[in-house]
Amino acid sequence: MSSKSFVQITTDLNKGLDALRKEAPGSMAGFGALAKSAMQAGTIDALHKELIALAIGVSARCDGCVGFHVKALIRLGVTRQQLVETLEICTYMGGGPSLMYAAEAIRAYDEFTARSPKPAETAAA
């Protein structure tokens, strides 16, 4: 069993990102504006843009990218099957190293969804 927690990874990275926002506000505001513009729904909807971002994060073997983009995908209502099909393409294009991070993306999905209310619980709330 791996001791890597994507909840902890994203929590820890957020602390560093907060520090960078204070110490490099111009650069971080510029990056934030770029991210907001790039991820805004257009011809490609927000869910598919997040799937693309996750695929790049898997290919780059970036733990933080996997954590943040899986978390965003869950907020956008990704199904496990959509996630799996995206990860199949990552593995096809990236081989073994991408397969290892595809497995990490599944772990992140399971970790974040275990902590989230189920859709039926959300509707009842």
Side-chain angles (χ1 to χ4, degrees), residues 3 18-19 25 34 36 38-39 41 43 45 62-64 71 75 85-86 100 106 108 116 118 120 125:
S3 61
D18 286 344
L34 174 63
K36 183 178 180 179
M39 297 308 283
T43 304
D45 64 33
C62 172
D63 288 338
K71 193 173 180 180
R75 275 194 310 270
E85 288 181 24
T86 299
M100 298 305 110
I106 290 293
S116 301
K118 304 295 181 248

Side-chain angles (χ1 to χ4, degrees), residues 76-91:
L76 292 169
V78 74
T79 66
R80 187 178 184 93
Q81 190 58 36
Q82 288 171 314
L83 182 75
V84 167
E85 288 181 24
T86 299
L87 297 172
E88 287 175 320
I89 295 167
C90 292
T91 302

Side-chain angles (χ1 to χ4, degrees), residues 61-79:
R61 298 186 262 313
C62 172
D63 288 338
C65 300
V66 168
F68 285 120
H69 291 294
V70 166
K71 193 173 180 180
L73 281 161
I74 292 166
R75 275 194 310 270
L76 292 169
V78 74
T79 66

Side-chain angles (χ1 to χ4, degrees), residues 92-125:
Y92 161 62
M93 295 300 294
S98 290
L99 176 60
M100 298 305 110
Y101 267 78
E104 292 288 70
I106 290 293
R107 280 192 343 92
Y109 178 87
D110 289 344
E111 185 179 353
F112 284 117
T113 57
R115 299 171 65 93
S116 301
K118 304 295 181 248
E121 294 172 5
T122 305

